[in-house]
Amino acid sequence: MDTYEQQAYEDVQVWLRKLKKPSSMTQTFTKNIQSRMNNLVPKKFHHLMGQAVKQMVEGVLNGSEYLPKGDYKKAKTLREADEKLQELIPVFQKGAAAEGAGTGAGGIFLGAADFPLLLGFKMRFLFSAAQIYGLDVYDFRDRLYMLHLFQAAFSSPEKRCETADRLENWEEYISDKPRKISMAAEWDWTSFQQQYRDHIDLVKLLQLMPGFGAVIGAAANYRLLGQLGEAAKEGYRLKWLHSKE
């Protein structure tokens, strides 16, 4: 392990410890407010979001719609991979921001369309970044890893802690998992979509309001892609370092 990888290893350990931190009073307060606001959103909207997440999970585990269209080859070194990722993140952030501005301008009904579109941006980003770090996007186990990184970025403190433990012991977790793409019963998408919905920021819910939803939608999508970018960087670094052991 060279000096750069040693520093990366330490950064990954800091990230894992952050994932394992219990919820703060601020987070608990924010969650309570979000729960109340969620109750004000029409049930049809929640249904649409649940279906979008289900389709996304099925697409990740068993489909090809998120396969990268660009030429994302595995980097020769971890430093090179990190540099390529830092170039990739703002590309997807700008795309997601533009999409959020467009749908946010239309209020709750057009805003509802933003959720599946944003999910698509997020998963295409994870697939593209995965190839840079040498993951096999045709390997069912590596696709599961991507879903865990998504959950590390967008879930409750309790679920993030559970996810961190699983990422640290990944080889043990996948020891009985097939390499071949298989939908199987490997993922509880209902819990997954509940975690994701509950994590969506108050500012994201405000995107549904006519008038100023465009500005909020653009800013929220930009920030959420950045949040996923952090999880991807540290999570893929962890995978890279484990592969060298």
Side-chain angles (χ1 to χ4, degrees):
M1 187 180 294
D2 60 27
T3 303
Y4 187 86
E5 290 179 338
Q6 182 61 46
Q7 181 59 55
Y9 173 80
E10 294 174 6
D11 292 343
V12 169
Q13 296 309 306
V14 171
W15 175 68
L16 289 170
R17 287 196 294 272
K18 186 168 71 171
L19 291 182
K20 294 179 181 180
K21 287 179 62 176
S23 58
S24 63
M25 290 181 63
T26 301
Q27 288 173 318
T28 302
F29 177 71
T30 301
K31 179 173 172 50
N32 289 337
I33 295 178
Q34 280 185 228
S35 297
R36 293 176 184 175
M37 289 191 68
N38 275 329
N39 291 333
L40 300 177
V41 177
K43 290 183 179 180
K44 182 179 180 180
F45 176 80
H46 288 307
H47 175 72
L48 290 173
M49 184 175 178
Q51 288 301 112
V53 174
K54 181 180 181 180
Q55 291 171 9
M56 182 271 281
V57 171
E58 291 176 345
V60 171
L61 294 181
N62 205 38
S64 60
E65 58 262 47
Y66 300 119
L67 293 176
K69 293 182 173 62
D71 184 18
Y72 300 104
K73 295 180 180 179
K74 180 183 178 181
K76 295 179 180 179
T77 66
L78 182 58
R79 183 192 293 272
E80 181 187 345
D82 287 349
E83 290 173 351
K84 287 184 176 181
L85 182 67
Q86 290 307 121
E87 295 174 357
L88 190 67
I89 292 173
V91 172
F92 278 86
Q93 282 182 306
K94 291 174 183 177
E99 178 271 314
T103 55
I108 188 166
F109 295 108
L110 188 55
D114 176 59
F115 285 99
L117 292 172
L118 181 58
L119 282 172
F121 268 101
K122 289 175 177 177
M123 296 318 303
R124 280 189 289 275
F125 165 72
L126 281 179
F127 269 73
S128 300
Q131 289 195 309
I132 293 174
Y133 285 85
L135 278 74
D136 182 355
V137 295
Y138 295 96
D139 189 321
F140 177 64
R141 298 164 300 181
D142 282 353
R143 291 189 178 208
L144 279 179
Y145 194 84
M146 293 180 217
L147 286 176
H148 280 79
L149 294 187
F150 189 98
Q151 200 151 53
F154 307 115
S155 59
S156 67
E158 295 75 20
K159 178 57 72 172
R160 286 200 302 267
C161 181
E162 177 186 319
T163 302
D165 287 334
R166 186 166 287 178
L167 292 173
E168 283 186 291
N169 301 285
W170 187 252
E171 292 305 316
E172 179 182 344
Y173 172 66
I174 64 170
S175 61
D176 63 341
K177 303 292 188 294
R179 181 187 184 284
K180 184 178 179 181
I181 301 299
S182 169
M183 191 61 199
E186 297 292 346
W187 198 261
D188 181 357
W189 77 266
T190 303
S191 172
F192 184 82
Q193 70 92 7
Q194 184 71 40
Q195 289 285 332
Y196 181 62
R197 191 193 75 184
D198 289 350
H199 184 83
I200 292 298
D201 295 332
L202 292 175
V203 68
K204 192 64 180 161
L205 291 175
L206 290 174
Q207 178 187 345
L208 304 179
M209 300 179 65
F212 56 98
V215 175
I216 292 175
N221 283 10
Y222 190 91
R223 192 178 70 79
L224 290 170
L225 254 296
Q227 194 172 324
L228 183 61
E230 179 190 9
K233 179 179 180 180
E234 302 305 339
Y236 288 144
R237 279 174 151 189
L238 177 63
K239 195 86 162 56
W240 180 292
L241 294 169
H242 276 174
S243 69
K244 296 192 67 175
E245 292 179 353

